[in-house]
Amino acid sequence: MTYAQLEGLINKWSLELEDQERHFLQQATQVNAWDRMLVENGEKITSLHKEMEKVKLDQRRLNQELDFILSQQKELEDLLCPLEESVKEQSGTIYMQNADEERERTYKLAENVDAQLKRMSQDLKEIIEHLNTSSGPADTSDPLQQICKILNAHMDSLQWIDQNSVLLQRRVEEVSKMCDNQRKEQEKTFRLTFD
């Protein structure tokens, strides 16, 4: 083997080594990215596991509260059954009639209140819809909108006049004070001159 052939082989091996090194670095970068992704996903799984344990604990608490409510409901039913039996066994129909009349009055009152609330709710809805439509884009051909525009312009003008009248009043007061001061000064100089 000649020196030139050896040098050629060394150059060829160097190029192959560089190519394999580049390929290795690419794969190492990809493996690092996958490793990072695995770590992040592991953290997410841990967080989800903690959340799941918390949800399970909340569910157990909720089940306990539901069991407690069911036991209270059962106790209430046990207490109400004898009362219902005693009410059924009472022979005094007057008591039942009075209770029925009171129940009927209460029911009618509840119906009246409910109807009034529904009417008030409907009235409020209509007022809100009217305000929404009237505050929408103004229809210049609508006489009501024209009147509102004129009244708004009048209100703006009145507010402007009120503000400017206050300013004018202040200026008049300042000018009258200046005139009074000047008159007093003239009287003083007049007295000094003739005294």
Side-chain angles (χ1 to χ4, degrees):
M1 180 180 292
T2 63
Y3 179 76
Q5 289 175 336
L6 180 63
E7 189 177 1
L9 283 175
I10 289 174
N11 287 338
K12 179 183 171 188
W13 290 338
S14 295
L15 289 174
E16 285 177 2
L17 185 64
E18 285 176 7
D19 189 41
Q20 288 182 2
E21 181 184 3
R22 196 167 38 250
H23 186 63
F24 174 76
L25 287 175
Q26 287 175 352
Q27 287 185 344
T29 304
Q30 193 170 11
V31 167
N32 281 338
W34 289 341
D35 186 49
R36 238 186 345 265
M37 189 185 301
L38 284 173
V39 169
E40 288 173 1
N41 287 337
E43 289 173 355
K44 287 179 185 176
I45 289 171
T46 306
S47 173
L48 283 174
H49 182 69
K50 287 179 183 174
E51 288 292 324
M52 191 177 72
E53 290 299 322
K54 186 180 173 187
V55 168
K56 282 182 181 177
L57 183 64
D58 289 343
Q59 186 177 7
R60 277 197 297 272
R61 259 193 232 128
L62 185 61
N63 286 336
Q64 290 172 355
E65 289 177 12
L66 284 175
D67 290 340
F68 178 69
I69 289 170
L70 285 174
S71 66
Q72 283 187 331
Q73 187 176 1
K74 180 77 169 68
E75 287 177 20
L76 188 59
E77 285 177 3
D78 293 342
L79 290 172
L80 284 176
C81 283
L83 289 174
E84 288 176 356
E85 290 297 325
S86 66
V87 167
K88 285 178 186 176
E89 290 171 0
Q90 283 183 351
S91 60
T93 57
I94 298 171
Y95 174 77
M96 291 300 291
Q97 288 173 351
N98 287 340
D100 287 340
E101 288 172 3
E102 186 65 30
R103 190 180 304 116
E104 188 67 27
R105 276 198 301 272
T106 307
Y107 182 73
K108 284 183 180 176
L109 181 64
E111 281 184 336
N112 287 338
V113 169
D114 185 56
Q116 288 176 0
L117 284 174
K118 283 181 181 174
R119 278 198 301 272
M120 287 172 64
S121 175
Q122 187 61 32
D123 291 343
L124 281 174
K125 281 182 186 174
E126 290 174 3
I127 289 169
I128 289 170
E129 287 173 2
H130 178 69
L131 286 175
N132 286 341
T133 55
S134 66
S135 66
D139 183 11
T140 53
S141 64
D142 184 14
L144 184 61
Q145 289 294 329
Q146 292 175 355
I147 291 171
C148 285
K149 276 176 129 180
I150 291 169
L151 289 175
N152 284 336
H154 284 187
M155 181 61 80
D156 291 340
S157 299
L158 287 172
Q159 287 176 346
W160 181 84
I161 288 171
D162 185 47
Q163 290 172 354
N164 285 328
S165 67
V166 170
L167 290 173
L168 190 59
Q169 180 68 30
R170 285 183 192 158
R171 287 183 184 164
V172 166
E173 288 174 1
E174 289 173 4
V175 168
S176 64
K177 282 181 185 177
M178 286 173 56
C179 287
D180 285 339
N181 289 339
Q182 195 173 14
R183 186 177 47 80
K184 287 177 184 175
E185 283 290 318
Q186 285 179 352
E187 286 177 358
K188 210 186 249 185
T189 54
F190 182 75
R191 283 186 198 142
L192 287 172
T193 306
F194 288 94
D195 288 344

